[in-house]
Amino acid sequence: MLRPSLAAAMLQAATATHNAATIAEAELSRSLLGGIVLRTLGVEHPTDRDVSVARLLLYCWWGCLVATLNGQMTASGAEADVRLGARLILAPYFSRPGAAR
C-alpha cells in the first residue's frame, strides 16, 4: 500500500458511517457512493436491483480494504479480488447498449 496512513484515515472515516447516529445518515453516505458507481455505469434511472448491485460492489471493495489494512491480504491480492468481483458483479452492465467500458 503506497499510503497506509491515508488508507487508514479513509477506513476510519468510512467506519464512522456504520456508527452514524441515525440510519438516515448511514444511508446517505452509502447512497452517495452507490450513486457514483451507478452514474459511472451509465444508469440514469436506477431500479432497486441496480442499487443492490452497486451496494454489493461496494461491499466487495470494503471487505478487501479492511482485509488489507488488517494485514490479512496484500494490496495486490486485494486489487485482484476487487477487479474479479467487479467483473462478476457488473457483467450484465457491460452487455447493455451504451454501457460504460
Side-chain angles (χ1 to χ4, degrees):
M1 195 162 299
L2 296 176
R3 296 184 167 180
S5 296
L6 175 61
M10 291 173 64
L11 180 60
Q12 184 177 6
T15 302
T17 298
H18 295 282
N19 296 325
T22 67
I23 293 173
E25 288 175 3
E27 186 57 38
L28 175 61
S29 178
R30 280 193 295 272
S31 68
L32 292 172
L33 285 172
I36 291 168
V37 168
L38 293 170
R39 281 191 303 278
T40 301
L41 291 170
V43 177
E44 294 179 22
H45 305 289
T47 64
D48 287 344
R49 182 172 174 84
D50 292 326
V51 172
S52 292
V53 166
R55 185 173 45 246
L56 182 60
L57 179 63
L58 292 171
Y59 288 163
C60 173
W61 165 78
W62 175 259
C64 289
L65 176 63
V66 170
T68 301
L69 292 175
N70 287 330
Q72 296 172 344
M73 71 185 331
T74 64
S76 60
E79 179 181 355
D81 283 2
V82 170
R83 287 180 183 275
L84 176 60
R87 279 195 303 273
L88 295 171
I89 294 165
L90 302 177
Y93 293 86
F94 293 112
S95 62
R96 291 180 177 181
R101 300 275 179 215

